[in-house]
Amino acid sequence: MTPTLVALWTTGFSLVGLVLLALSDPKRARLRRRPQWLGRGARRKVLALVCLPGMILLAKGFYAAVLLWVGALLLCGWGLAWLLAWRDAALGNHP
Amino acid sequence: MLKVTAPITRALLALHGWLAVCLGLLLYVVILTGTLAVFEREIGAWANPLPRHAPSSFVAGTDPLLRELAGRIDPDYRDEVALFPAADGRLRAFFHTHGDDGEERGMLALIDPTGPRMVSEREGAAEALLTERDNTALTDFLVDLHVRLLMPGQWGLLLTGVLGFAMLAAVISGFVLHRHLLAELFTLRRRGDALLTARDKHVLAGAWNLPFAFVLAFTGAFFSFGGAIGLPAIAYVAFGGDVEAMSNEVLSPSLPPNPGPAPLVNLDALLDDARARSGAEPTGMLIQHWGRVDASIQLSLSTPEGRLLPSHFAYAGATGEFLGESPPLGTVPSLGGELASLMSPLHFGNFAGLYSKVIWLAFGFAGAYVSLTGLSLWTARRRHESGWVVLERATLWVGYGLPVTLAGLCAAYFAARLLGQPAVDWLLPVFGGMALLTGTYSVRCASVDRVKVGLLAALSVLLLAAPVLRFLATNLGWLEALGRGQAIVVGVDGVFLVGAVLCFANARRARRSSHRQESTAEPLVVVEGL
């Protein structure tokens, strides 16, 4: 499997966790006046899962794939924050 | 969350803000042009397409062309031969010698790899030969603007090095300053105060871009100061100021000196050998002492799949004997050499083809966005204080005027080619003229809000004009380009056209917003996107 494919798969895996982190973000929940549905401990476990593919790639010495994974994940996170803000604004959820 | 005292916060805020005020606009120019330069090869291939797609610049049949040229040029020029692909995919061969005065003179040949055939030959001083390259004038200008801000000598490198450190300071101070950075990774308030929304967008882009901003700033400063100060300093300390002696010591394979005559090995066969050994494509070649027993050949190769660093092979020029894989720097492997060579993939993002380039492009734009929105926030908050409106207009001028000027450069490049003029002579006057024009417009425009509208509309028109002029100048339509395997031409045209539509839509939105704000008491212009 090429590093690009490895990075795509691992980003996909981490993205699921990132979506969970975004949806359960405490500040976002506070702004939307909604209860926080994922506790602090659970969020930490999800964060560890998000980082896991990167750690494995690093341990295996796939440095190119690690860089691609980090870059793609950061871009996805930025995009996710915009997407959720746009969705919240459209639904009138934001103050 | 970082805990810092109020006085430190105030000091950091002042540092962060004043760095942006003093250097933010220049930093924006460097970041934006660097972002575009990630696609230097693609832009080069689009601006001056080859007759058909060539998988490599080093193709079979290059050896006889070089051998024929080597046979009829000044024998001194065979002292060193550098072969490197131009941004448009053509191969440059620079046969040259190092004079006693330190000046390099030689013959620069341009080879079309689709033949392969010799396109042009020019003789003279290296500085003149390497700066008057009409076939890659557009990409050379873009890279020069990014690397030196068009300044002469080492001054440009020094300035961009300082800008790199300024960006590092801004990244670090921004991280400490926005103490809730990690807690606000998903916070973007889109309703209510426009200034608050703009602040959230700035912080959000800065936060997600933080690791890459740090890496790009550090590696950029390394390259600028390395070229301007580092190499001359090492040469001064260890080699009495002789840069050539240092290069030979650090970069050349050690072969016992023997000036006796010996024919050079067949280069096509040598390239095939390197491909077979590495599975990678050659990206550069340096031949020393062509035609001598002690001739050596160093070959740079593309980064193999899955690796960060490319390989470098060394061969004996007379026998073709494989001398082994060279370390990236020096004659023996070292941590310093590895770290120094790591700077290149980290800065250029060219280690995994299009995928890594797209990521680097996105983070480059994020960096430009952060620098511009930061400056915009600073001036918006001080709009009612005298003097800041000048910076506000300057921010809009550079923020939107630079893309307008760059799009205008593309149009001018093709217009020059259409008229049969040397494009390389057009670019600097056009750049200066357009910078002056957009600057005058930004200053003279009745309302600050309308500056953005006008510049976005101009950008939209120029982005539309560039592909049309490209078609007229190269006479290469989309179907023909696809038929010749040059999808990149269609791709770049498409990016320009999509950009034109987006800018037009943004201009219309900004115009409506401007009308709305003019009817209210408190207008607010914040750069929201390009």
Side-chain angles (χ1 to χ4, degrees):
Chain A
M1 200 184 282
T2 66
T4 310
L5 271 178
V6 170
L8 277 174
W9 278 108
T10 48
T11 306
F13 178 85
S14 297
L15 187 57
V16 177
L18 203 63
V19 171
L20 274 176
L21 286 177
L23 292 176
S24 64
D25 184 54
K27 181 148 186 183
R28 211 175 137 260
R30 210 163 48 240
L31 286 170
R32 297 169 71 223
R33 297 192 182 92
R34 301 279 166 87
Q36 197 182 331
W37 57 274
L38 212 56
R40 198 177 182 144
R43 279 175 56 79
R44 283 196 175 159
K45 282 174 190 150
V46 175
L47 182 64
L49 275 176
V50 167
C51 298
L52 186 67
M55 298 299 128
I56 293 172
L57 291 175
L58 204 62
K60 292 256 180 196
F62 298 153
Y63 303 120
V66 171
L67 272 181
L68 294 175
W69 170 78
V70 171
L73 200 62
L74 290 173
L75 279 180
C76 287
W78 189 23
L80 198 58
W82 272 79
L83 194 71
L84 289 175
W86 173 78
R87 184 174 151 271
D88 285 343
L91 296 175
N93 283 338
H94 263 199
Chain B
M1 188 174 93
L2 289 170
K3 286 181 181 167
V4 284
T5 59
I8 292 177
T9 303
R10 275 197 297 276
L12 282 173
L13 185 63
L15 174 77
H16 194 78
W18 283 104
L19 270 175
V21 168
C22 299
L23 299 169
L25 292 179
L26 283 177
L27 196 56
Y28 170 78
V29 174
V30 171
I31 296 173
L32 188 69
T33 50
T35 302
L36 298 174
V38 168
F39 283 92
E40 182 195 3
R41 301 264 156 188
E42 288 74 9
I43 296 171
W46 167 75
N48 192 27
L50 288 165
R52 60 188 158 78
H53 173 68
S56 168
S57 300
F58 292 86
V59 293
T62 306
D63 178 83
L65 287 174
L66 294 172
R67 210 169 283 278
E68 188 272 328
L69 182 64
R72 60 184 162 81
I73 58 170
D74 182 339
D76 285 348
Y77 294 165
R78 296 200 291 256
D79 184 38
E80 193 167 278
V81 186
L83 296 165
F84 52 102
D88 60 1
R90 288 165 180 82
L91 181 66
R92 288 195 175 113
F94 185 38
F95 288 76
H96 63 283
T97 182
H98 300 263
D100 294 334
D101 54 356
E103 193 188 54
E104 290 179 18
R105 281 189 63 80
M107 172 78 81
L108 181 66
L110 192 65
I111 296 169
D112 176 353
T114 59
R117 64 180 185 86
M118 197 67 79
V119 177
S120 66
E121 294 167 21
R122 289 189 301 137
E123 189 175 0
E127 199 178 342
L129 289 176
L130 296 173
T131 50
E132 294 167 9
R133 301 179 296 198
D134 208 49
N135 65 315
T136 53
L138 194 60
T139 46
D140 288 348
F141 191 91
L142 186 68
V143 171
D144 199 34
L145 187 57
H146 170 63
V147 174
R148 299 170 192 271
L149 287 167
L150 305 179
M151 292 173 79
Q154 305 292 327
W155 293 107
L157 286 175
L158 286 173
L159 181 57
T160 50
V162 169
L163 289 172
F165 280 120
M167 188 170 161
L168 269 181
V171 168
I172 294 166
S173 59
F175 179 66
V176 180
L177 200 60
H178 299 292
R179 285 173 294 169
H180 306 281
L181 205 66
L182 295 177
E184 291 185 354
L185 276 176
F186 297 103
T187 304
L188 175 51
R189 287 157 287 196
R190 293 185 61 129
R191 290 197 167 187
D193 186 5
L195 202 59
L196 186 68
T197 303
R199 178 257 178 209
D200 279 355
K201 285 178 179 175
H202 172 74
V203 172
L204 204 61
W208 286 103
N209 184 37
L210 203 69
F212 272 75
F214 186 88
V215 167
L216 293 177
F218 182 80
T219 51
F222 173 85
F223 281 122
S224 288
F225 280 126
I229 296 173
L231 287 178
I234 295 169
Y236 179 77
V237 171
F239 297 91
D242 189 343
V243 177
E244 192 199 343
M246 182 192 70
S247 299
N248 285 339
E249 178 71 28
V250 175
L251 300 173
S252 305
S254 51
L255 288 172
N258 187 342
L264 193 78
V265 67
N266 184 297
L267 294 175
D268 291 342
L270 187 132
L271 288 167
D272 285 341
D273 179 77
R275 285 188 184 102
R277 284 178 191 277
S278 65
E281 265 303 312
T283 55
M285 185 190 274
L286 185 70
I287 305 166
Q288 288 184 311
H289 313 310
W290 177 302
R292 284 173 36 169
V293 175
D294 61 352
S296 66
I297 299 173
Q298 289 162 276
L299 204 59
S300 303
L301 296 142
S302 59
T303 310
E305 188 89 51
R307 282 179 57 179
L308 262 183
L309 299 176
S311 304
H312 303 271
F313 286 172
Y315 288 90
T319 61
E321 181 194 350
F322 179 63
L323 299 176
E325 190 164 343
S326 322
L329 197 65
T331 49
V332 289
S334 65
L335 180 65
E338 293 282 326
L339 287 177
S341 60
L342 203 55
M343 298 292 161
S344 179
L346 287 179
H347 192 73
F348 304 116
N350 55 1
F351 57 90
L354 198 62
Y355 187 24
S356 58
K357 282 186 175 187
V358 167
I359 289 176
W360 258 246
L361 177 91
F363 282 111
F365 270 120
Y369 179 82
V370 171
S371 61
L372 202 61
T373 49
L375 208 48
S376 179
L377 274 172
W378 180 274
T379 52
R381 281 176 179 149
R382 291 160 180 79
R383 175 173 260 195
H384 301 298
E385 296 173 28
S386 61
W388 288 107
V389 77
V390 177
L391 185 64
E392 188 174 25
R393 282 182 185 255
T395 304
L396 288 168
W397 167 42
V398 178
Y400 294 97
L402 178 67
V404 172
T405 305
L406 293 177
L409 277 182
C410 294
Y413 171 82
F414 292 119
R417 291 191 56 186
L418 198 58
L419 298 171
Q421 301 289 317
V424 72
D425 295 338
W426 278 45
L427 296 185
L428 190 59
V430 168
F431 181 82
M434 290 206 61
L436 197 67
L437 202 67
T438 50
T440 309
Y441 173 75
S442 304
V443 171
R444 297 268 175 176
C445 196
S447 140
V448 172
D449 311 285
R450 293 198 180 165
V451 175
K452 179 177 164 183
V453 179
L455 291 177
L456 273 173
L459 181 57
S460 174
V461 170
L462 286 167
L463 286 175
L464 198 63
V468 176
L469 285 166
R470 200 273 314 149
F471 170 69
L472 294 173
T474 59
N475 205 20
L476 182 64
W478 285 1
L479 286 178
E480 197 180 348
L482 289 173
R484 292 182 190 177
Q486 290 173 315
I488 195 67
V489 173
V490 183
V492 179
D493 274 354
V495 169
F496 270 72
L497 295 177
V498 169
V501 172
L502 289 176
C503 286
F504 181 71
N506 259 321
R508 282 192 61 176
R509 202 175 59 188
R511 188 162 168 263
R512 278 199 301 271
S513 162
S514 161
H515 282 164
R516 267 202 310 274
Q517 281 167 4
E518 276 170 15
S519 62
T520 62
E522 287 291 317
L524 174 67
V525 173
V526 179
V527 175
E528 287 184 345
L530 293 173

